[in-house]
Amino acid sequence: MPSAKKQVLAGIKKIDVFTAARNLYTELPLQEQRCADLVLNSPELVVSQSITDFALTAKTSEATVLRFSKKLGFSGYPHMRLSMVATIAFDVGWDAKREEELELGITQLDNVETVLNKLVNNTINTIRQTVDLCDVATVNELVKAMEEARIIATYGAGASGLVALDCHLKLAHMGKFSICFNDNHHALSSISTLNIGDLLFIVSHTGQTPEAIAVGREFKAHGVKLAVITNEPNSRLAKLADYLLLTQAERKIVRIGATVSRIAQLVIVDYVTMSWAQRTWDRSKSASEAASAAIARNNAPNSQEESRELVPKRINAQPKSTQVIKR
């Protein structure tokens, strides 16, 4: 394929229209839900329709179709339609969620091999879609802010807290002074720890978690810069962000362990922290080597005392018998 055509596809395949439509469906007004129904259930019609034809089929107005397209994150209807073509071409598909689905297309009737295949395929698709949403300019600005920050803090509620902890551990391993807040009370009570120019990473799949929004609002008012990792570009938390890092994992009513969304978030964390390490290579490499050496020294016994500690102790040992000498 000529390079110019590759650039066209790269430019339009920034959002999976089907995932976006399913994620936002319950938040859409009735007329826009009809637009979503048409996209999800009859994509073969939409890819060949003008905005006028689409509006007629969905029994709504062209203005509503335009609003619907923009809510999904597109510049307009043509952008949304081209994204559908690109998504189909890249074999993502558009199967609507079935009522019996537990998560990731997995049902109670699937055998263990099918479960594994669906899990892997969904994970690969989610990573690829998330990579397509990565804004290099934003990451470059964020990495610069990370370098300038005295302290970097991380926070996430629930499963997102695991991602926040991973981010903290990576930064600490590479010599950056960082804090991971355990919960919103820990974060808010530590607000004076961070000052103007410092940075707070907040992880939230929906971007609507009240605790995360409260933490973000308070720290931003305190002059701290916010880097937000979220699946929802139009969420309240996303609107607070100085640096918005988007994932694209399908949002479910019941999310078992938040598996795929967490993997997408971890990909973003790896991308950002490795970009920072690359920018500060000498310092971060030295710190990482020192951390690894310290861990290695303390993982293996290197003295007789440590070796003795590995020998199981006798429990309830009977006292040695003594010989009685008669006189």
Side-chain angles (χ1 to χ4, degrees):
M1 180 185 292
S3 59
K5 292 184 178 179
K6 288 183 179 179
Q7 290 177 359
V8 170
L9 280 178
I12 61 175
K13 187 178 170 287
K14 291 296 183 183
I15 301 171
D16 183 340
V17 60
F18 307 108
T19 298
R22 284 191 289 265
N23 284 348
L24 292 175
Y25 189 87
T26 58
E27 302 172 14
L28 297 173
L30 181 59
Q31 290 191 1
E32 292 177 21
Q33 283 186 351
R34 290 205 296 269
C35 294
D37 289 334
L38 185 56
V39 165
L40 294 171
N41 300 324
S42 304
E44 69 283 356
L45 294 178
V46 177
V47 294
S48 61
Q49 286 184 324
S50 66
I51 187 172
T52 301
D53 294 334
F54 183 98
L56 289 172
T57 306
K59 298 180 181 179
T60 187
S61 65
E62 293 182 20
T64 299
V65 176
L66 180 59
R67 283 195 301 272
F68 168 71
S69 302
K70 290 185 174 181
K71 282 186 180 179
L72 265 56
F74 300 101
S75 59
Y77 176 77
H79 184 195
M80 183 187 76
R81 189 178 65 178
L82 286 173
S83 179
M84 291 177 66
V85 174
T87 300
I88 294 169
F90 280 95
D91 198 31
V92 174
W94 58 75
D95 291 335
K97 175 184 174 181
R98 293 174 290 178
E99 290 183 1
E100 69 273 16
E101 179 182 330
L102 299 175
E103 178 83 4
L104 308 175
I106 297 169
T107 72
Q108 288 180 303
L109 301 178
D110 291 334
N111 59 38
V112 290
E113 183 179 2
T114 301
V115 169
L116 177 60
N117 289 332
K118 287 184 177 181
L119 175 61
V120 171
N121 290 335
N122 275 279
T123 299
I124 292 171
N125 284 336
T126 296
I127 291 174
R128 186 183 63 208
Q129 293 161 20
T130 296
V131 168
D132 285 339
L133 286 176
C134 287
D135 188 328
V136 176
T138 298
V139 172
N140 283 333
E141 292 177 6
L142 174 57
V143 168
K144 183 179 179 181
M146 292 170 66
E147 186 178 0
E148 296 173 350
R150 182 180 60 94
I151 300 176
I152 297 178
T154 65
Y155 170 73
S160 295
L162 300 175
V163 180
L165 177 60
D166 180 74
C167 184
H168 157 68
L169 292 175
K170 283 183 168 64
L171 291 170
H173 191 83
M174 292 185 290
K176 187 67 179 183
F177 185 24
S178 65
I179 305 170
C180 181
F181 296 129
N182 299 322
D183 54 43
N184 59 315
H185 292 285
H186 180 198
L188 295 175
S189 64
S190 306
I191 193 167
S192 61
T193 306
L194 275 67
N195 297 311
I196 295 174
D198 289 333
L199 184 67
L200 172 63
F201 277 86
I202 300 182
V203 186
S204 173
H205 180 69
T206 65
Q208 303 288 7
T209 307
E211 294 86 351
I213 294 170
V215 169
R217 186 186 299 117
E218 291 293 335
F219 274 83
K220 190 173 181 69
H222 194 64
V224 175
K225 295 180 180 179
L226 299 184
V228 173
I229 302 176
T230 184
N231 203 67
E232 303 296 341
N234 299 315
S235 63
R236 292 167 62 192
L237 185 59
K239 293 175 181 177
L240 291 174
D242 296 290
Y243 309 99
L244 183 58
L245 306 167
L246 293 174
T247 62
Q248 190 158 84
E250 187 166 356
R251 187 173 70 198
K252 303 290 186 181
I253 297 175
V254 178
R255 294 167 56 233
I256 303 174
T259 306
V260 171
S261 63
R262 187 168 63 249
I263 291 173
Q265 293 164 354
L266 289 170
V267 167
I268 294 295
V269 167
D270 281 354
Y271 176 37
V272 170
T273 54
M274 289 305 298
S275 296
W276 176 80
Q278 184 183 40
R279 185 183 180 98
T280 60
W281 183 251
D282 290 338
R283 186 171 73 243
S284 59
K285 182 174 182 290
S286 177
S288 180
E289 289 174 346
S292 297
I295 293 170
R297 283 194 300 272
N298 287 274
N299 276 347
N302 56 7
S303 68
Q304 291 183 354
E305 182 179 347
E306 289 173 334
S307 298
R308 283 197 300 270
E309 290 177 354
L310 297 178
V311 178
K313 296 181 180 179
R314 296 176 62 187
I315 302 176
N316 297 326
Q318 296 297 323
K320 293 181 179 180
S321 60
T322 57
Q323 184 176 2
V324 179
I325 300 176
K326 295 183 179 180
R327 293 185 179 179

